[in-house]
Amino acid sequence: MKENVFKGTARIALIIGGVALALGMIGVIEAFNERDIVSDVITLGQVVLYACPLIAGYFVAKREDVGRSMVPVHGLLGGAIAAVPTFALLYITTIWETIRDSFINVSPTLIEALSFGNESVLAGGMRLVLIFAVLGLVGALFSLLGTKLRAAFLQAVAWVVGIGVMSEILVNILRPRLTSANLKALFGSGLNQTPFIFLLVGITVLSLAWQMVGKDRYQARQASMNAEQKKRSSIIRNVLIFCILMILPSVLGVYLSEIFNNVALYILMGLGLNIAVGLAGLLDLGYVTNFAIGAYLMAIMTSGSEYGLTTPVPFWIALIICTLAGMAAGFTFALPVLKMRGDYLAIATLGFGEIIRILAKSDAMKGTLGGAQGILQVPAAKISGVAASIFVPILDFINGILGRWDLGIIGSKGGEIIFDKPPQLYYLLLACCLLMLIISNRLNNSRVGRRWMAIREDEDVAAAMGINTTSAKVIAFTLSAASGGLAGAIFAAKLGSIFPHSFQLLISVNVLSLIIVGGLGSLPGIVLGAFALIGIPELLREFAEFRLLMYGIALMAMMLLRPEGLWPSEARKRELSRDDDPPPIAASAGAGD
């Protein structure tokens, strides 16, 4: 029995040790070492590397066949074994001098980091084994803590690591609001040691207090509220969120406003694709089609005479036309695939996306779509004329009240409101996202939404219950495409030029991924998924080469650990909990035995 227990420990540790080795050999650890978490003490690469023995010790100790008294032993052993693959790499470099010819990322910098700069690589490797063993022990002992304390500490670690990683951005945000001395006390190349410890302890205490006292009181308070009180509370919360969103560009600045704009574009597309995938269960891998149609149509209509139009179409009219064109495309492409399901539907829709991209790039459509050269000098969105004469005084009055929290939305050309910079575009995208959120929420709770969910569960049963599945699927594709056309139109005005390479398959994959990670059918989940998969990689652009790797890891982790998503809908949670229950026949048979 003991032999089997130790075999299990060795198997888990070697798997996680293999992950650590892979991260080193593909260049992740070396690249992440460039970013400090704690100034001149801990780097992001060290966090990634040392997390491996901690995880190994934790999972080894959590196994049912490991007795409580043996937890430290298995933790030490698991951590030490997790170091074996990396130690083997260090040893190989001493006898294979040209290893970098085959594995280009096994650089001297990586070897120096893994061996702690020791002249003797093997001596450094032994030190690595010792550190991994100690960290394995820490991970094993961590598993013995109470659930609430573990959760509180992990939340604190996530916060301080996030603050350390984003230290450069936080310095730029805080520079106008803090003195140089205060900034130096908080940040260096990362988060300084004193604020790091203070935040780690403080967040742990606050999180633990919330879980032990605050959460129960909050839930009890929510349960005791009547319908009128809940409605009033919801209104107050929404007003506060709206006010924060309105002043956000003034707080964040141009760079972060641009990142929020990119996230908002994907939120728009995610809200649309969620109708087809999250509600109706129609796997659409060609959503970039609607995005491209909206972008090209906006560029052609607002550019005017260059494309055969006597006068350019005003942005707002073009925006409506692009949205309708997206819906028309969704309706047209839905017709040939109505009888398809699952993988076949995904492949068919994938083909639509590739057809549009190839047409946009081809010489046959060069006269209309610009071919590989794209369309340049697309005008920015703006409000002019009578509408500007109404809105400009109102916004001037608001900016006068806000003072230094200036919304920065007034253009300087003849009293027009021009959306040509990230802070101004932020408000346009915010308005569109809020509109789509309201529409999506209404659809979720409508009869049409319930029909879609019935089709998602079982199309044959839905048809047997009298649901017209053909019309429901056509409506789903059509309404889903509207949001893609809208996002594409804003994208063209935002970028000022469009090219065929902007409409790759990766766009569809990104939108589908954020829905899966956030939670199928969940509107808050879409927002959270967009920030997780679009916002964070945008903030960490120096690690862009590992973006797809991070996507893959995130999707695998979600499928294994939290298949319902980061913020699942209530219906999705019920479905998954129902699937975990034993079948009624099996349960009754077990009871009879």
Side-chain angles (χ1 to χ4, degrees):
M1 176 64 73
K2 288 185 178 180
E3 184 180 354
N4 292 334
V5 172
F6 284 109
K7 280 184 178 179
T9 295
R11 183 171 59 253
I12 293 173
L14 284 174
I15 290 172
I16 297 177
V19 172
L21 175 65
L23 291 174
M25 294 189 70
I26 63 178
V28 170
I29 292 174
E30 182 180 350
F32 283 17
N33 262 343
E34 300 298 320
R35 180 66 72 95
D36 278 359
I37 300 298
V38 182
S39 301
D40 303 321
V41 177
I42 302 174
T43 66
L44 183 58
Q46 290 172 331
V47 170
V48 171
L49 178 64
Y50 295 147
C52 292
L54 287 168
I55 294 170
Y58 177 81
F59 281 107
V60 162
K62 289 292 286 182
R63 290 163 52 223
E64 295 181 357
D65 54 353
V66 175
R68 192 179 183 88
S69 61
M70 292 296 290
V71 161
V73 175
H74 283 270
L76 278 168
L77 184 61
I81 294 175
V84 169
T86 306
F87 180 82
L89 173 65
L90 293 175
Y91 175 72
I92 290 171
T93 59
T94 63
I95 60 176
W96 185 7
E97 295 180 358
T98 60
I99 186 174
R100 202 174 183 194
D101 294 341
S102 300
F103 301 98
I104 192 170
N105 288 311
V106 183
S107 63
T109 305
L110 174 65
I111 300 304
E112 183 180 358
L114 295 177
S115 60
F116 305 96
N118 285 15
E119 292 184 6
S120 171
V121 173
L122 293 181
M126 293 303 297
R127 184 180 174 187
L128 180 71
V129 172
L130 178 61
I131 291 174
F132 267 49
V134 173
L135 291 174
L137 173 62
V138 172
L141 295 177
F142 184 70
S143 69
L144 300 177
L145 298 177
T147 304
K148 292 182 178 179
L149 182 57
R150 283 205 310 266
F153 184 74
L154 288 175
Q155 288 177 15
V157 169
W159 272 101
V160 294
V161 169
I163 292 171
V165 169
M166 306 298 176
S167 58
E168 293 181 7
I169 295 170
L170 291 174
V171 167
N172 291 331
I173 293 174
L174 296 174
R175 184 171 283 122
R177 298 167 179 84
L178 294 177
T179 63
S180 298
N182 288 335
L183 280 175
K184 288 181 179 179
L186 290 172
F187 300 102
S189 55
L191 189 62
N192 288 336
Q193 295 180 38
T194 301
F196 171 80
I197 295 171
F198 177 80
L199 283 172
L200 186 64
V201 174
I203 296 173
T204 301
V205 171
L206 289 175
S207 179
L208 188 59
W210 164 254
Q211 292 188 61
M212 296 183 69
V213 180
K215 187 176 181 179
D216 292 337
R217 289 186 178 180
Y218 174 78
Q219 290 176 343
R221 170 65 179 164
Q222 290 292 109
S224 64
M225 292 171 64
N226 56 38
E228 183 63 29
Q229 289 174 324
K230 288 181 179 179
K231 183 178 179 181
R232 193 182 305 120
S233 175
S234 177
I235 291 172
I236 294 172
R237 181 177 64 251
N238 291 338
V239 168
L240 287 174
I241 293 173
F242 180 76
C243 291
I244 292 171
L245 290 174
M246 290 301 292
I247 65 171
L248 209 53
S250 300
V251 176
L252 299 178
V254 174
Y255 174 64
L256 287 180
S257 295
E258 175 64 15
I259 290 176
F260 266 77
N261 291 344
N262 291 333
V263 172
L265 277 173
Y266 276 93
I267 290 174
L268 260 181
M269 290 189 283
L271 290 170
L273 187 59
N274 182 63
I275 294 174
V277 178
L279 294 182
L282 305 171
L283 187 54
D284 185 355
L285 288 181
Y287 197 71
V288 69
T289 303
N290 314 309
F291 186 63
I293 288 172
Y296 271 104
L297 198 56
M298 171 60 72
I300 291 169
M301 287 191 295
T302 56
S303 295
S305 58
E306 294 184 18
Y307 295 94
L309 299 176
T310 54
T311 57
V313 177
F315 171 80
W316 301 102
I317 296 176
L319 191 67
I320 296 172
I321 294 173
C322 289
T323 305
L324 295 175
M327 295 176 69
F331 176 82
T332 303
F333 291 142
L335 296 179
V337 299
L338 285 176
K339 298 297 182 181
M340 296 182 181
R341 301 184 190 180
D343 299 339
Y344 300 99
L345 176 62
I347 296 300
T349 54
L350 174 63
F352 293 145
E354 285 300 290
I355 288 169
I356 291 296
R357 185 183 65 81
I358 292 170
L359 281 176
K361 193 176 179 179
S362 68
D363 290 337
M365 301 293 291
K366 189 173 182 179
T368 305
L369 303 181
Q373 303 298 321
I375 300 177
L376 307 177
Q377 297 180 345
V378 180
K382 65 181 180 180
I383 299 177
S384 58
V386 177
S389 64
I390 296 172
F391 285 107
V392 166
I394 296 173
L395 292 172
D396 277 331
F397 174 73
I398 295 173
N399 285 336
I401 294 175
L402 294 175
R404 69 189 184 96
W405 300 103
D406 185 0
L407 297 181
I409 197 172
I410 304 299
S412 59
K413 298 179 181 179
E416 294 179 332
I417 301 174
I418 305 174
F419 301 89
D420 60 346
K421 292 182 176 62
Q424 289 89 351
L425 279 164
Y426 167 89
Y427 293 102
L428 173 61
L429 284 162
L430 177 63
C432 292
C433 286
L434 290 177
L435 176 62
M436 282 305 303
L437 276 169
I438 293 170
I439 293 172
S440 297
N441 185 56
R442 296 288 293 177
L443 285 172
N444 280 7
N445 300 309
S446 67
R447 289 185 178 181
V448 176
R450 290 194 290 273
R451 288 178 193 147
W452 289 333
M453 286 186 275
I455 293 172
R456 181 189 68 195
E457 290 300 301
D458 193 312
E459 186 175 341
D460 294 329
V461 173
M465 295 295 292
I467 294 175
N468 188 333
T469 57
T470 299
S471 65
K473 289 198 286 187
V474 169
I475 292 171
F477 273 116
T478 304
L479 295 181
S480 172
S483 190
L486 176 62
I490 297 174
F491 174 76
K494 169 182 176 290
L495 204 61
S497 56
I498 55 173
F499 304 95
H501 70 259
S502 299
F503 308 104
Q504 302 282 351
L505 169 65
L506 188 60
I507 300 289
S508 297
V509 174
N510 287 345
V511 180
L512 181 62
S513 298
L514 70 89
I515 293 174
I516 293 171
V517 171
L520 287 171
S522 169
L523 301 184
I526 293 169
V527 177
L528 189 58
F531 276 100
L533 293 185
I534 307 300
I536 293 176
E538 287 290 333
L539 290 171
L540 302 173
R541 273 198 170 267
E542 67 264 43
F543 309 130
E545 60 183 307
F546 305 112
R547 184 169 188 158
L548 293 179
L549 173 66
M550 296 299 110
Y551 270 29
I553 292 173
L555 289 173
M556 287 174 61
M558 292 306 301
M559 294 300 98
L560 293 172
L561 303 176
R562 197 175 174 85
E564 70 273 20
L566 294 174
W567 194 327
S569 64
E570 291 299 324
R572 184 70 174 162
K573 282 195 290 188
R574 286 195 300 269
E575 289 168 13
L576 289 175
S577 62
R578 181 188 63 196
D579 291 342
D580 291 339
D581 294 335
I585 296 176
S588 61
D593 293 340

